[in-house]
Amino acid sequence: MPVTALVSAKSCGVTTAALALTLASKRPSLLAECDPAGGTIRAGFLQQEVGAGFGLYHLAAAQRTGPDALAQAFASHLWPMDEAGHRKLLPGLTDPAQAAAMDRSWTSLAEVMHVLAEEAGYDVLIDAGRLALQSGQLHPLLTPAPLLHQADLVLLVVRGTEQSLTLARHVIDPLRTELAERGSGPDALGLLLIEDGPYRAHQVAEALKTPVLAGLPLDAATADYFMSGGRPPRGYGRSLLLRHARTATEQVEAAASRRRIQQQYPARPANPQLAGVLQRLSERGGPRG
């Protein structure tokens, strides 16, 4: 199953898109909220149901102990977003100042996510937030660069508006170069189009010289529920956003599969300790289970 990182040049709906893809997946899925600027799902969609003693920041201390401790901590900090526990969230930072503590943890965290995807069969979505550049490269503190480097796909979330395309043009070449030089290759980069504005998918792809791998409609009611929580809108389970998100997850998986075949990726060496810990995630619902 793919590990997919979502990023943007500016606020384009990364968190809403990541939530939609996670909740719409036909398989067990995980959303890892890894925006160094801080997470919003805890206070919004989850309505403060998850306290500050839970989530991404607490994995940094475990990482210093070793990979098995990190996997144990990772498993214990995943929060179920449905009754069956098939949709899980790794809540993000509660304070941007915590991002500095994560600097040495991103690489190990990426390994854990890949084991969860490949050994436990999860769709893993990473909300990496807004891209920050420094001297033409990903900023080492303001962007979780190792997560992007190791992702199967990196989706730049854009809207079909002139403003969004203008902002995306400034970051897409540095991002492509970064993936070519430090990641798994420039072909890991694709676009996720939020269908807002006059430009259609083929026009966006041509403007940014990058394929549109999936699209999501502008669904204000469902997006507001994802950002603010509370009572779901009427017909939420059949909403336009979730229906299109189900198709989008299939398109993303197909793109990752094509890329894997084209690149003839060798199998990642399995870490039995990590696999054993994370496999147990499929046997329980999480902290509330």
Side-chain angles (χ1 to χ4, degrees), residues 28-34 46 50 53-56 58-59 70-82 85-92 109 112-113 116-117 120 122-125 277-282 284-289:
S29 57
L30 164 73
L31 172 53
E33 206 177 11
C34 297
L46 294 182
V50 183
F54 202 86
L56 179 67
H58 301 280
L59 303 186
L70 176 62
Q72 293 280 1
F74 182 89
S76 65
H77 280 268
L78 299 186
W79 192 264
M81 292 192 291
D82 61 6
H86 295 316
R87 311 283 179 258
K88 294 182 171 67
L89 171 73
L90 175 62
L109 189 58
V112 173
M113 290 180 186
L116 182 63
Y122 272 68
D123 279 336
V124 177
L125 284 301
V277 170
L278 297 177
Q279 182 65 42
R280 291 197 293 273
L281 285 173
S282 62
R284 61 186 177 87
R288 295 186 300 181

